[in-house]
Amino acid sequence: MEDKDTTRELDNPQEEKKIKKATDDLVVAEEKEKQQYEDMKLRIKYMYEQGDASVIETLVQAKDFTDLVNKAEYVQEVHSYDREQLAEYVETKNEVKELYAGRIAELLYNG
């Protein structure tokens, strides 16, 4: 004999919409995570191939003090950008974990 509450929950269109939205959100977040990971791999590869020497070379090649300051600011901006991208990737990974956990909970609750 089936539990009436469980049957009613499964037949509820609102619950089905919530489950579909949670699944869609999870798929979007996973795709975003994959893209961010690929972007980071490419950036790390570039940094590895160029090494720290490129930063030093950039600064050493300054024509005057103003040029040195501008180049140093540029290096700092690139470093800040890289850190922001890493933070965003970590945030996306956490979002995927939360969405996945929520999706599992919904399936267990409604299944």
Side-chain angles (χ1 to χ4, degrees), residues 45-82:
K45 179 182 176 194
Y46 173 79
M47 287 173 25
Y48 177 76
E49 289 173 353
Q50 297 301 314
D52 289 337
S54 66
V55 172
I56 295 168
E57 286 175 23
T58 299
L59 297 175
V60 170
Q61 292 174 355
K63 297 174 185 145
D64 54 33
F65 184 72
T66 304
D67 192 31
L68 175 68
V69 171
N70 287 338
K71 289 178 187 279
E73 286 177 357
Y74 174 76
V75 168
Q76 180 61 39
E77 287 175 13
V78 169
H79 177 70
S80 294
Y81 175 79
D82 288 345

Side-chain angles (χ1 to χ4, degrees), residues 1 4 6-7 9 32-33 41 46-47 49 54 69 81-82 91 93 99 102 110:
M1 186 164 148
K4 289 181 182 180
T6 303
T7 304
E9 297 250 345
K32 181 179 176 183
E33 177 188 8
K41 279 186 357 184
Y46 173 79
M47 287 173 25
E49 289 173 353
S54 66
V69 171
Y81 175 79
D82 288 345
E91 186 178 309
K93 281 198 70 74
L99 288 169
N110 291 323

Side-chain angles (χ1 to χ4, degrees), residues 79-90:
H79 177 70
S80 294
Y81 175 79
D82 288 345
R83 290 181 57 90
E84 289 170 11
Q85 294 303 305
L86 178 60
E88 187 177 323
Y89 175 69
V90 168

